Amino acid sequence: MKKQERQQLLKRLLTSREIERQEDFVRLLSEDGIHVTQATISRDIKEMQLVKLPAESGGYCYSLPVQKKIDTQKKLQRTLQNAYISFAVQDQFTILKVLPGNGPVIASLLDQMRYEFVFGTVGDDSSVLTICVSHQGALQLEKTIDRMLAD
């Protein structure tokens, strides 16, 4: 079994039960026909950055690390305000010109926003090409970016 698959199983186990010791992981995986050593589990725990938290039973159990929630919209807005040069619409395509080094970041943030009117983005060093689902979608993206720049 590949490490990635094993770690996915560990995540599933963590969401379904309280696991207090590394040996519990080994036993539960063994019950499913997956044989691993405690040392392997130890490396997985370190790589996955698992933490021990107080359990309902009074002891401690493993848990996934707290994920920081990044406010994608605020990050996109801040990046646009700092890097924006120009924006143009052509049919369902838009081109956003930005300061060098900001294109890939903005393209990624636009993708993370999952706008229903955006089909996809391509970002190079200083521009972002956005393919929208329609001309109306491109105009909607233009309005969205204008609002971010105005705030």
Side-chain angles (χ1 to χ4, degrees):
M1 169 174 277
K2 294 180 181 177
K3 175 173 65 170
Q4 186 176 3
E5 294 169 343
R6 185 180 61 249
Q7 289 182 358
Q8 283 298 100
L9 283 173
L10 295 180
K11 285 181 185 179
R12 272 190 243 132
L13 288 172
L14 286 171
T15 59
S16 64
R17 37 182 87 182
E18 287 187 358
I19 299 175
E20 296 179 357
R21 301 170 315 161
Q22 294 177 6
E23 293 81 9
D24 296 337
F25 279 120
V26 173
R27 180 181 47 79
L28 291 168
L29 290 173
S30 180
E31 290 172 3
D32 285 339
I34 301 163
H35 300 286
V36 296
T37 65
Q38 180 270 328
T40 299
I41 294 299
S42 179
R43 285 188 295 272
D44 286 340
I45 287 170
K46 184 175 183 178
E47 187 173 310
M48 294 170 66
Q49 299 179 354
L50 300 183
V51 294
K52 277 201 164 184
L53 298 175
E56 290 180 16
S57 62
Y60 288 87
C61 64
Y62 283 103
S63 178
L64 293 168
V66 176
Q67 298 293 319
K68 290 185 179 179
K69 301 272 184 186
I70 298 171
D71 188 337
T72 306
Q73 184 169 345
K74 284 185 181 179
K75 189 170 183 178
L76 175 59
Q77 182 177 8
R78 188 173 55 246
T79 307
L80 281 169
Q81 288 173 342
N82 291 328
Y84 178 85
I85 295 175
S86 67
F87 188 88
V89 174
Q90 176 67 43
D91 295 324
Q92 77 267 25
F93 302 101
T94 70
I95 190 75
L96 172 63
K97 297 290 185 178
V98 294
L99 294 174
N102 289 282
V105 171
I106 292 173
S108 175
L109 290 168
L110 284 169
D111 285 339
Q112 290 173 45
M113 291 299 293
R114 300 194 191 292
Y115 293 125
E116 72 277 353
F117 48 86
V118 172
F119 178 75
T121 62
V122 179
D124 70 5
D125 188 54
S126 60
S127 60
V128 178
L129 170 67
T130 305
I131 301 118
C132 295
V133 296
S134 65
H135 180 67
Q136 285 306 112
L139 296 175
Q140 193 170 354
L141 179 60
E142 183 176 35
K143 286 180 187 174
T144 301
I145 288 176
D146 284 345
R147 276 194 305 269
M148 287 186 192
L149 292 170
D151 289 342

